[in-house]
Amino acid sequence: MAGVAIAWGIAVVLAGLAAELWIALGALALGGAVNFVLSTFRTTITQARTGDAVRGRVQGALTVVLVGGPQIANLLHGVAGAAYGPRIVICAGGLLTVAAVTAIAWAIPDLRRYTAPALAPEPAVTRTPPAAPGDRISPAPASRARAGRR
């Protein structure tokens, strides 16, 4: 995830440095693809590794950060862009992303070394053969439970 976040920061720097529209569009497309991967990982980790008892709270906090963070960044980039120019601010934002992710990954070695534990194998599903015409087969236990019968 740190590598993907760094790649996103580099894509932002490339967009800020682009002198041609097609280069900027390519950098933005790369950034969008990298952001897709990053958000997929983030959502998967959050859903898979958070306990059922707190999953709603964790998802709520993540939503606040994902909705509020960009709005704060828009405000800061707008003010700084007016003062220093948009290209410098775009590049600085990408470089700050790279620097912050690198510093966090360096400061917390457990984040670099983390690997997800292996998932338990799924239980085998036994399938019953289809009934022959004319055979009388009682409903499966799951069907009786859904119908309120046990």
Side-chain angles (χ1 to χ4, degrees), residues 5 15 30 32 40 45 62 65 69 85 90-91 104 115 119 121 126 128 141 150:
L30 174 66
T40 300
I45 291 167
L62 184 61
V65 169
I90 291 170
C91 290
I104 291 168
T115 56
L119 296 175
T126 57
T128 56
R150 294 203 183 239

Side-chain angles (χ1 to χ4, degrees), residues 46-123:
T46 301
Q47 293 297 318
R49 305 307 302 166
T50 303
D52 289 340
V54 295
R55 185 172 292 131
R57 290 181 215 140
V58 170
Q59 187 62 41
L62 184 61
T63 300
V64 168
V65 169
L66 294 175
V67 171
Q71 298 306 319
I72 294 169
N74 288 341
L75 174 66
L76 294 174
H77 284 115
V79 171
Y84 302 107
R87 293 181 82 182
I88 291 172
V89 173
I90 291 170
C91 290
L95 290 173
L96 283 171
T97 298
V98 171
V101 172
T102 302
I104 291 168
W106 180 80
I108 307 172
D110 288 344
L111 289 177
R112 291 191 313 267
R113 291 189 294 260
Y114 178 80
T115 56
L119 296 175
E122 293 281 331

